[in-house]
Amino acid sequence: MKRYSVFAIAREALRQHQGWNRAWASPEPRSKYDVIIVGAGGHGLATAYYLGKNFGITNVAVIEKGWLGGGNTGRNTTIIRSNYLQDPSAAIYEKSRSLYETMSQDLNYNVMFSPRGVLMLAQTEHEVRGYKRTAQANALQGVTTEFVDAKRVKEICPIMNTDGPRYPVLGGLWQARGGTARHDAVAWGYARACSDMGMHIIQQCEVKGVTTDGGKVTGVSTTKGDIGCDKLGMVVAGHASHLAQMAGFQLPIESVALQALVSEPIKPCMDIVVMANTVHGYLSQSDKGEMVIGGGTDGYNNYTQRGSFHHVEETVRALVETFPMLAQLKMLRQWGGIVDVTGDRSPILSKTPVDGCFVNCGWGTGGFKAIPGSGWAMAELMAKGHSPLTEEFTMNRFRHGKFIDESVAAGVAH
Amino acid sequence: MLMLHCPNCGRDVDETDLHAGGEAHLRREGAEASAEAFEDYLFMRKNPKGVHFERWHHTFGCGKWFHAARDTATLEVFGTYSAQTSEPPKEIIDRIAEKRPNWSWESDT
Ligand SMILES: Cc1cc2nc3c(=O)[nH]c(=O)nc-3n(C[C@H](O)[C@H](O)[C@H](O)COP(=O)(O)OP(=O)(O)OC[C@H]3O[C@@H](n4cnc5c(N)ncnc54)[C@H](O)[C@@H]3O)c2cc1C
Ligand SMILES: [Zn+2]
């Protein structure tokens, strides 16, 4: 792999940019791999990357039905934070956030991680109590957050109307090292690194079935033929139940649409990320100047990547009250992704009833922030059969009532 | 916008007047049931990419529950029916089978 650097840019500038290589190869599938990962979103690619980097397993294929990063990884509002409530969540989300800090150097690919700070607004007394509790929990977990009062909120984010009539801002949970990153670059950076290790990223290839022999996985059938493997990782977000059905088991997951939208670009006006969970809206400004806006999920099962318009309206209506300046803006684009929601709003990283078959899903509305940590943990789970970071996130936890309840921290989409 | 016919009050209603209630025809478990049965009832969901039977509540209307048969991959609505039943009526099953030759109620359950 040719490394990207300031010297490479200078060299290529002098020769009309003729010397850049393709960032990753597009090979035809072999008949068998040690490991197949289904889904070339951030989580699938990160899993493959850490299988190679941490465990030397490189005979790996990542199979993708569309284009890499074209699922939720390329559709999300890129909020990165780790201020969850429960210990197992803090462990994996903070691992992930800390890996984001060094990801650009690690991958030699600029993922534009911007730890600009994430502020979660408390707009009811209930939220004030909830976030104070989270701040205390985070202190014990070694995650740096603090509860700030309304005056400080106004200092951090001057464009906010903190004394709105219906939901005045009473304070907020502030994580100064939370922020955003460039979503496509995360997928592309991992893809390039995986390809460089000799792994195969096979796009435009849909997995249609899972083959097993005596309860053990033997491979997958795809639109490019049958491909064998010793281990299979299903990392397909909204399609998790669909893949599980192919392998003959069910998951405690429901797939629903989540939407986002961006405004026309404007001059810099907000240098942090704000989440307003009571009114179901969140907001940040992209480097291009667009205001990036997300809201709540639809209520019904859906695989179409299209949501209902009235949710967009609700989100914008709510945000305009807290950010009156938004009322002046035209919206440019709006889109949806299919998110995989569990009963306790926590993910599943787990063995399955099929030997050699692992599943990583249930990140729902908030898994972009978790990509590197999830890949790190999933690779360990697949390579060794267990990982300290995934122990509590089994698919059977619901049977035993061992929920990792994050409905407060993650009840709203982000 | 999704529109469904409420069989209770006979109105065609917009999604904004409704509340989605998730998978229909779940078997409710009693106190004596096993942990597995409770897990199935409370958390496990078919969540199919395709034909889905689901509950809806006509919240801002007659206030009653009904069932709908819908395709989650195309958003096509096959029909709605009373919630006072443990399986879809025959005409709905037939209508779906006609439109989705690879689907059958037997393999769905
Ligand atoms: C609108 C929106 C906003 C969001 N905002 C945030 C946010 O601000 N912060 C945050 O942390 N998270 C956010 N999320 C959630 C986040 O996007 C996801 O949790 C995360 O991207 C999931 O990554 P993934 O790799 O698991 O899934 P994906 O990126 O969806 O990748 C799964 C891949 O599997 C492929 N696939 C599916 N079925 C098959 C098959 N049969 N064969 C082959 N390939 C298959 C799909 O094509 C897809 O590319 C948001 C999501 C949405 C939709
Ligand atoms: Zn009605």
Side-chain angles (χ1 to χ4, degrees):
Chain A
M1 170 170 85
K2 279 208 184 133
R3 286 185 65 78
Y4 295 151
S5 67
V6 63
F7 303 108
I9 294 175
R11 186 182 64 232
E12 293 305 326
L14 293 174
R15 56 177 185 190
Q16 314 284 323
H17 295 280
Q18 298 295 305
W20 297 115
N21 293 335
R22 278 186 181 278
W24 53 82
S26 298
E28 285 305 306
R30 284 200 282 269
S31 61
K32 183 171 182 286
Y33 297 87
D34 292 345
V35 175
I36 289 179
I37 304 290
V38 189
H43 288 263
L45 291 163
T47 302
Y49 174 72
Y50 286 113
L51 276 171
K53 183 173 170 176
N54 292 356
F55 300 98
I57 300 170
T58 56
N59 185 14
V60 175
V62 185
I63 300 180
E64 166 57 50
K65 77 177 158 83
W67 65 95
L68 70 88
N72 294 345
T73 299
R75 293 163 187 270
N76 79 96
T77 49
T78 75
I79 300 174
I80 296 170
R81 60 186 182 89
S82 59
N83 52 356
Y84 285 71
L85 183 62
Q86 312 291 348
D87 291 349
S89 321
I92 196 163
Y93 286 108
E94 177 58 14
K95 171 76 186 169
S96 196
R97 199 205 55 77
S98 69
L99 285 170
Y100 264 115
E101 299 253 6
T102 52
M103 191 187 283
S104 294
Q105 291 78 0
D106 187 30
L107 297 178
N108 178 235
Y109 202 97
N110 186 2
V111 302
M112 296 161 74
F113 177 56
S114 161
R116 58 184 67 181
V118 172
L119 182 66
M120 294 169 77
L121 298 183
Q123 291 178 287
T124 62
E125 287 297 337
H126 178 77
E127 265 186 315
V128 170
R129 279 197 297 276
Y131 287 146
K132 282 188 175 163
R133 179 182 173 208
T134 305
Q136 306 279 9
N138 291 162
L140 293 171
Q141 292 153 346
V143 177
T144 309
T145 63
E146 68 181 297
F147 187 85
V148 294
D149 63 14
K151 191 166 149 280
R152 186 75 205 290
V153 167
K154 186 78 186 169
E155 280 163 22
I156 295 172
C157 187
I159 64 166
M160 200 187 302
N161 172 22
T162 48
D163 42 38
R166 175 126 188 238
Y167 290 115
V169 175
L170 307 173
L173 183 65
W174 173 236
Q175 183 171 26
R177 294 301 289 179
T180 60
R182 166 83 196 178
H183 49 17
D184 299 319
V186 172
W188 296 339
Y190 278 127
R192 174 167 168 264
C194 288
S195 186
D196 185 54
M197 286 188 272
M199 297 180 182
H200 281 184
I201 298 162
I202 302 160
Q203 301 183 70
Q204 308 286 336
C205 177
E206 182 170 355
V207 171
K208 293 284 207 179
V210 175
T211 50
T212 57
D213 184 14
K216 194 189 170 316
V217 74
T218 53
V220 290
S221 46
T222 77
T223 48
K224 294 193 177 182
D226 292 349
I227 312 175
C229 67
D230 295 331
K231 287 181 184 173
L232 179 67
M234 298 175 173
V235 197
V236 292
H239 279 75
S241 301
H242 192 53
L243 262 286
Q245 197 193 9
M246 294 178 197
F249 60 92
Q250 262 191 13
L251 287 169
I253 295 262
E254 300 212 61
S255 299
V256 294
L258 175 66
Q259 303 176 81
L261 60 159
V262 292
S263 74
E264 60 191 327
I266 53 173
K267 292 213 165 131
C269 65
M270 191 175 112
D271 59 0
I272 61 162
V273 179
V274 174
M275 302 174 55
N277 290 359
T278 291
V279 298
H280 276 246
Y282 44 97
L283 185 67
S284 66
Q285 189 169 22
S286 76
D287 294 334
K288 283 185 282 183
E290 301 158 332
M291 302 308 286
V292 182
I293 300 172
T297 57
D298 284 4
Y300 57 87
N301 300 53
N302 185 351
Y303 281 84
T304 64
Q305 295 189 327
R306 250 178 59 191
S308 298
F309 187 72
H310 66 95
H311 280 285
V312 174
E313 192 187 340
E314 275 164 20
T315 302
V316 172
R317 199 185 335 153
L319 282 175
V320 161
E321 200 183 292
T322 312
F323 297 92
M325 60 159 292
L326 286 184
Q328 317 256 337
L329 296 181
K330 292 187 186 70
M331 293 301 145
L332 275 192
R333 299 187 297 283
Q334 159 269 345
W335 63 91
I338 297 305
V339 296
D340 39 338
V341 181
T342 60
D344 61 1
R345 300 295 185 275
S346 285
I348 294 171
L349 296 97
S350 179
K351 293 181 181 170
T352 69
V354 178
D355 217 12
C357 174
F358 300 80
V359 64
N360 179 344
C361 63
W363 293 100
T365 59
F368 177 72
K369 61 178 72 64
I371 284 173
S374 155
W376 178 287
M378 184 71 180
E380 187 171 22
L381 176 67
M382 291 188 72
K384 302 206 297 202
H386 55 89
S387 159
L389 285 173
T390 67
E391 236 158 60
E392 311 283 329
F393 292 102
T394 63
M395 60 181 276
N396 292 337
R397 67 176 181 270
F398 301 92
R399 186 178 310 164
H400 308 300
K402 290 184 72 180
F403 311 124
I404 306 164
D405 188 0
E406 293 292 358
S407 46
V408 175
V412 77
H414 37 78
Chain B
M1 165 121 22
L2 190 62
M3 286 172 73
L4 296 173
H5 178 79
C6 175
N8 300 310
C9 64
R11 292 210 164 80
D12 291 327
V13 282
D14 284 349
E15 185 193 335
T16 41
D17 285 352
L18 299 166
H19 178 78
E23 188 177 322
H25 308 307
L26 294 174
R27 218 178 77 94
R28 188 174 182 147
E29 296 297 336
E32 72 292 344
S34 66
E36 282 78 8
F38 259 112
E39 181 193 27
D40 270 359
Y41 166 49
L42 292 172
F43 297 104
M44 286 299 184
R45 292 295 177 260
K46 289 196 186 112
N47 191 25
K49 184 176 183 176
V51 179
H52 192 229
F53 300 95
E54 57 197 18
R55 304 165 71 229
W56 286 88
H57 187 232
H58 193 178
T59 313
F60 301 107
C62 68
K64 295 200 172 81
W65 287 93
F66 63 92
H67 285 167
R70 219 170 39 85
D71 189 323
T72 62
T74 62
L75 301 187
E76 178 175 1
V77 178
F78 300 113
T80 56
Y81 53 98
S82 161
Q84 265 77 49
T85 172
S86 53
E87 60 178 67
K90 185 166 180 312
E91 74 257 24
I92 297 234
I93 293 178
D94 289 347
R95 197 177 309 152
I96 301 171
E98 194 181 310
K99 292 184 168 182
R100 302 282 183 278
N102 294 328
W103 176 89
S104 76
W105 170 247
E106 290 71 36
S107 65
D108 197 275
T109 41

mmCIF file of all heavy atoms in Angstrom, chain A residues 250 252 348 350-353 392-402, chain B residues 39 44:
data_model
loop_
_atom_site.group_PDB
_atom_site.id
_atom_site.type_symbol
_atom_site.label_atom_id
_atom_site.label_comp_id
_atom_site.label_asym_id
_atom_site.label_seq_id
_atom_site.Cartn_x
_atom_site.Cartn_y
_atom_site.Cartn_z
ATOM 1 N N GLN A 250 -33.833 -17.175 15.430
ATOM 2 C CA GLN A 250 -34.478 -15.858 15.538
ATOM 3 C C GLN A 250 -33.676 -14.939 16.433
ATOM 4 O O GLN A 250 -32.937 -15.400 17.294
ATOM 5 C CB GLN A 250 -35.877 -16.017 16.138
ATOM 6 C CG GLN A 250 -36.976 -16.051 15.101
ATOM 7 C CD GLN A 250 -38.369 -15.934 15.704
ATOM 8 O OE1 GLN A 250 -38.532 -15.599 16.870
ATOM 9 N NE2 GLN A 250 -39.367 -16.213 14.903
ATOM 10 N N PRO A 252 -33.880 -11.207 18.928
ATOM 11 C CA PRO A 252 -34.796 -10.249 19.584
ATOM 12 C C PRO A 252 -34.615 -8.841 19.009
ATOM 13 O O PRO A 252 -34.211 -7.910 19.690
ATOM 14 C CB PRO A 252 -34.366 -10.310 21.049
ATOM 15 C CG PRO A 252 -32.929 -10.707 21.009
ATOM 16 C CD PRO A 252 -32.719 -11.525 19.770
ATOM 17 N N ILE A 348 -26.044 -6.658 20.270
ATOM 18 C CA ILE A 348 -25.790 -8.086 20.455
ATOM 19 C C ILE A 348 -24.473 -8.412 19.761
ATOM 20 O O ILE A 348 -24.328 -8.174 18.561
ATOM 21 C CB ILE A 348 -26.941 -8.916 19.836
ATOM 22 C CG1 ILE A 348 -28.238 -8.672 20.611
ATOM 23 C CG2 ILE A 348 -26.589 -10.398 19.806
ATOM 24 C CD1 ILE A 348 -29.458 -9.278 19.959
ATOM 25 N N SER A 350 -22.367 -11.837 19.742
ATOM 26 C CA SER A 350 -22.670 -13.112 20.381
ATOM 27 C C SER A 350 -22.396 -14.309 19.490
ATOM 28 O O SER A 350 -22.405 -14.208 18.257
ATOM 29 C CB SER A 350 -24.166 -13.089 20.757
ATOM 30 O OG SER A 350 -24.575 -14.267 21.362
ATOM 31 N N LYS A 351 -22.139 -15.440 20.148
ATOM 32 C CA LYS A 351 -22.242 -16.724 19.470
ATOM 33 C C LYS A 351 -23.718 -16.952 19.156
ATOM 34 O O LYS A 351 -24.591 -16.287 19.722
ATOM 35 C CB LYS A 351 -21.756 -17.841 20.389
ATOM 36 C CG LYS A 351 -20.280 -17.789 20.687
ATOM 37 C CD LYS A 351 -19.923 -18.960 21.590
ATOM 38 C CE LYS A 351 -18.457 -18.902 21.922
ATOM 39 N NZ LYS A 351 -18.087 -19.849 22.973
ATOM 40 N N THR A 352 -23.993 -17.919 18.289
ATOM 41 C CA THR A 352 -25.381 -18.213 17.928
ATOM 42 C C THR A 352 -25.610 -19.713 18.087
ATOM 43 O O THR A 352 -24.655 -20.454 18.338
ATOM 44 C CB THR A 352 -25.651 -17.822 16.462
ATOM 45 O OG1 THR A 352 -24.932 -18.727 15.616
ATOM 46 C CG2 THR A 352 -25.238 -16.395 16.168
ATOM 47 N N PRO A 353 -26.853 -20.169 17.915
ATOM 48 C CA PRO A 353 -27.104 -21.617 17.992
ATOM 49 C C PRO A 353 -26.352 -22.415 16.923
ATOM 50 O O PRO A 353 -26.227 -23.631 17.045
ATOM 51 C CB PRO A 353 -28.615 -21.724 17.777
ATOM 52 C CG PRO A 353 -29.157 -20.383 18.142
ATOM 53 C CD PRO A 353 -28.098 -19.401 17.800
ATOM 54 N N GLU A 392 -21.285 -9.548 28.165
ATOM 55 C CA GLU A 392 -22.652 -9.246 28.600
ATOM 56 C C GLU A 392 -23.617 -9.072 27.433
ATOM 57 O O GLU A 392 -24.826 -8.984 27.638
ATOM 58 C CB GLU A 392 -22.669 -7.937 29.418
ATOM 59 C CG GLU A 392 -21.640 -7.855 30.517
ATOM 60 C CD GLU A 392 -22.034 -8.674 31.735
ATOM 61 O OE1 GLU A 392 -23.248 -8.802 31.976
ATOM 62 O OE2 GLU A 392 -21.124 -9.195 32.411
ATOM 63 N N PHE A 393 -23.083 -8.986 26.215
ATOM 64 C CA PHE A 393 -23.934 -8.635 25.074
ATOM 65 C C PHE A 393 -24.432 -9.859 24.300
ATOM 66 O O PHE A 393 -24.598 -9.807 23.095
ATOM 67 C CB PHE A 393 -23.184 -7.681 24.133
ATOM 68 C CG PHE A 393 -22.928 -6.324 24.732
ATOM 69 C CD1 PHE A 393 -21.672 -5.991 25.225
ATOM 70 C CD2 PHE A 393 -23.949 -5.385 24.815
ATOM 71 C CE1 PHE A 393 -21.431 -4.736 25.786
ATOM 72 C CE2 PHE A 393 -23.718 -4.128 25.368
ATOM 73 C CZ PHE A 393 -22.463 -3.806 25.857
ATOM 74 N N THR A 394 -24.667 -10.968 24.999
ATOM 75 C CA THR A 394 -25.097 -12.189 24.316
ATOM 76 C C THR A 394 -26.547 -12.059 23.848
ATOM 77 O O THR A 394 -27.337 -11.293 24.405
ATOM 78 C CB THR A 394 -25.042 -13.411 25.248
ATOM 79 O OG1 THR A 394 -25.950 -13.188 26.317
ATOM 80 C CG2 THR A 394 -23.648 -13.627 25.791
ATOM 81 N N MET A 395 -26.900 -12.876 22.834
ATOM 82 C CA MET A 395 -28.283 -12.841 22.348
ATOM 83 C C MET A 395 -29.242 -13.497 23.332
ATOM 84 O O MET A 395 -30.444 -13.290 23.259
ATOM 85 C CB MET A 395 -28.397 -13.495 20.957
ATOM 86 C CG MET A 395 -27.976 -14.928 20.890
ATOM 87 S SD MET A 395 -28.118 -15.578 19.201
ATOM 88 C CE MET A 395 -29.855 -16.018 19.162
ATOM 89 N N ASN A 396 -28.728 -14.278 24.294
ATOM 90 C CA ASN A 396 -29.599 -14.956 25.267
ATOM 91 C C ASN A 396 -29.891 -14.137 26.514
ATOM 92 O O ASN A 396 -30.580 -14.616 27.408
ATOM 93 C CB ASN A 396 -28.965 -16.277 25.712
ATOM 94 C CG ASN A 396 -28.942 -17.262 24.567
ATOM 95 O OD1 ASN A 396 -29.728 -17.147 23.641
ATOM 96 N ND2 ASN A 396 -28.024 -18.211 24.635
ATOM 97 N N ARG A 397 -29.346 -12.921 26.597
ATOM 98 C CA ARG A 397 -29.490 -12.186 27.851
ATOM 99 C C ARG A 397 -30.943 -11.889 28.204
ATOM 100 O O ARG A 397 -31.288 -11.755 29.369
ATOM 101 C CB ARG A 397 -28.668 -10.899 27.835
ATOM 102 C CG ARG A 397 -29.140 -9.827 26.860
ATOM 103 C CD ARG A 397 -28.302 -8.567 27.012
ATOM 104 N NE ARG A 397 -28.713 -7.492 26.134
ATOM 105 C CZ ARG A 397 -28.241 -7.284 24.913
ATOM 106 N NH1 ARG A 397 -27.327 -8.095 24.409
ATOM 107 N NH2 ARG A 397 -28.656 -6.266 24.174
ATOM 108 N N PHE A 398 -31.780 -11.809 27.180
ATOM 109 C CA PHE A 398 -33.192 -11.491 27.431
ATOM 110 C C PHE A 398 -33.892 -12.633 28.154
ATOM 111 O O PHE A 398 -34.780 -12.420 28.961
ATOM 112 C CB PHE A 398 -33.898 -11.153 26.113
ATOM 113 C CG PHE A 398 -33.264 -9.981 25.427
ATOM 114 C CD1 PHE A 398 -32.260 -10.163 24.482
ATOM 115 C CD2 PHE A 398 -33.637 -8.695 25.767
ATOM 116 C CE1 PHE A 398 -31.649 -9.079 23.885
ATOM 117 C CE2 PHE A 398 -33.030 -7.597 25.172
ATOM 118 C CZ PHE A 398 -32.023 -7.796 24.231
ATOM 119 N N ARG A 399 -33.465 -13.859 27.834
ATOM 120 C CA ARG A 399 -34.047 -15.025 28.486
ATOM 121 C C ARG A 399 -33.761 -14.998 29.977
ATOM 122 O O ARG A 399 -34.583 -15.380 30.799
ATOM 123 C CB ARG A 399 -33.448 -16.293 27.862
ATOM 124 C CG ARG A 399 -34.064 -17.562 28.357
ATOM 125 C CD ARG A 399 -33.447 -18.766 27.666
ATOM 126 N NE ARG A 399 -33.418 -18.600 26.207
ATOM 127 C CZ ARG A 399 -32.674 -19.343 25.398
ATOM 128 N NH1 ARG A 399 -31.901 -20.285 25.883
ATOM 129 N NH2 ARG A 399 -32.691 -19.145 24.099
ATOM 130 N N HIS A 400 -32.578 -14.531 30.322
ATOM 131 C CA HIS A 400 -32.165 -14.548 31.727
ATOM 132 C C HIS A 400 -32.468 -13.230 32.435
ATOM 133 O O HIS A 400 -32.119 -13.061 33.598
ATOM 134 C CB HIS A 400 -30.672 -14.864 31.824
ATOM 135 C CG HIS A 400 -30.303 -16.108 31.073
ATOM 136 N ND1 HIS A 400 -30.840 -17.327 31.375
ATOM 137 C CD2 HIS A 400 -29.487 -16.311 30.011
ATOM 138 C CE1 HIS A 400 -30.359 -18.240 30.542
ATOM 139 N NE2 HIS A 400 -29.546 -17.641 29.704
ATOM 140 N N GLY A 401 -33.089 -12.304 31.724
ATOM 141 C CA GLY A 401 -33.421 -11.023 32.339
ATOM 142 C C GLY A 401 -32.203 -10.163 32.623
ATOM 143 O O GLY A 401 -32.264 -9.229 33.419
ATOM 144 N N LYS A 402 -31.083 -10.456 31.952
ATOM 145 C CA LYS A 402 -29.855 -9.673 32.188
ATOM 146 C C LYS A 402 -29.758 -8.540 31.162
ATOM 147 O O LYS A 402 -28.837 -8.489 30.339
ATOM 148 C CB LYS A 402 -28.632 -10.581 32.112
ATOM 149 C CG LYS A 402 -28.539 -11.541 33.302
ATOM 150 C CD LYS A 402 -27.262 -12.357 33.259
ATOM 151 C CE LYS A 402 -26.044 -11.509 33.591
ATOM 152 N NZ LYS A 402 -24.800 -12.301 33.550
ATOM 153 N N GLU B 39 -39.246 -15.419 26.892
ATOM 154 C CA GLU B 39 -38.332 -14.722 25.991
ATOM 155 C C GLU B 39 -38.970 -14.594 24.606
ATOM 156 O O GLU B 39 -38.955 -13.525 23.994
ATOM 157 C CB GLU B 39 -37.016 -15.503 25.894
ATOM 158 C CG GLU B 39 -35.990 -14.845 24.989
ATOM 159 C CD GLU B 39 -34.837 -15.777 24.654
ATOM 160 O OE1 GLU B 39 -35.037 -17.002 24.671
ATOM 161 O OE2 GLU B 39 -33.744 -15.265 24.367
ATOM 162 N N MET B 44 -38.474 -12.109 21.310
ATOM 163 C CA MET B 44 -38.161 -12.669 19.995
ATOM 164 C C MET B 44 -39.203 -12.199 18.977
ATOM 165 O O MET B 44 -40.397 -12.258 19.247
ATOM 166 C CB MET B 44 -38.162 -14.194 20.057
ATOM 167 C CG MET B 44 -36.957 -14.749 20.753
ATOM 168 S SD MET B 44 -35.457 -14.277 19.868
ATOM 169 C CE MET B 44 -34.257 -15.165 20.842
#
